Amino acid sequence: NICAMLTKYFSQLLLLAHSFHLVSALSPPDCTDGSPASCTCGDGAQPNFDTFPPCALKKGVKKATCTCPPGEKLAPKYIISQPNRPCSQGRPACADKSDSLRCSDGGVPTLGIGTFPKCSSGDILCQDGASLKCLVDGQITEEVANFG
């Protein structure tokens, strides 16, 4: 059927045009004054904003850096702060070795990008109801993991 073929062709063409728009929409981050930041790849090359990622990702090469004019900084939406670590040493773990966590209010912890698990209300607990402790060198310590 010619109509079905044309519909399929135009939908593929539309998808291709949309994909091109997404790729061509890459640009350097904005500074607080609205100007684009000046960026340099970790290997010293200039980013190519026609590709994704704009800088080649190579093991052992530093991340790209972006700078703004004097007195300006990257716009707040580009500033990503690392959350505080829940343990001063090691990582959070359950003494009962359970992988699934729960909230003290009976809910299920939620995960986000760049964040630790959190409960809408209450604390994060192991399946046995105990608090998560910190695991250092294969040993559970008395330090309780603090997810803030």
Side-chain angles (χ1 to χ4, degrees):
N1 181 323
I2 192 77
C3 287
M5 282 178 38
L6 284 174
T7 302
K8 183 178 179 182
Y9 173 76
F10 282 117
S11 66
Q12 288 175 343
L13 189 61
L14 185 62
L15 180 63
L16 181 65
H18 180 70
S19 298
F20 176 76
H21 172 72
L22 288 176
V23 170
S24 66
L26 291 175
S27 62
D30 297 326
C31 296
T32 48
D33 66 356
S35 67
S38 174
C39 300
T40 305
C41 297
D43 61 4
Q46 291 300 307
N48 179 357
F49 292 106
D50 292 331
T51 64
F52 183 82
C55 293
L57 300 175
K58 298 176 192 165
K59 190 172 184 171
V61 175
K62 294 180 183 178
K63 293 180 185 177
T65 57
C66 296
T67 57
C68 292
E72 301 297 331
K73 44 189 183 175
L74 289 177
K77 69 179 179 178
Y78 298 106
I79 306 297
I80 300 171
S81 60
Q82 295 291 336
N84 292 333
R85 293 178 54 95
C87 294
S88 60
Q89 292 183 350
R91 65 174 182 82
C94 292
D96 66 2
K97 298 186 173 143
S98 61
D99 288 337
S100 54
L101 304 174
R102 63 186 182 94
C103 297
S104 58
D105 67 355
V108 177
T110 57
L111 291 173
I113 297 171
T115 64
F116 292 108
K118 58 178 104 172
C119 295
S120 57
S121 64
D123 297 321
I124 298 175
L125 302 175
C126 299
Q127 281 300 314
D128 66 0
S131 296
L132 275 84
K133 302 283 179 106
C134 297
L135 180 71
V136 179
D137 296 327
Q139 300 294 316
I140 296 286
T141 66
E142 290 304 311
E143 181 184 2
V144 176
N146 178 4
F147 293 94

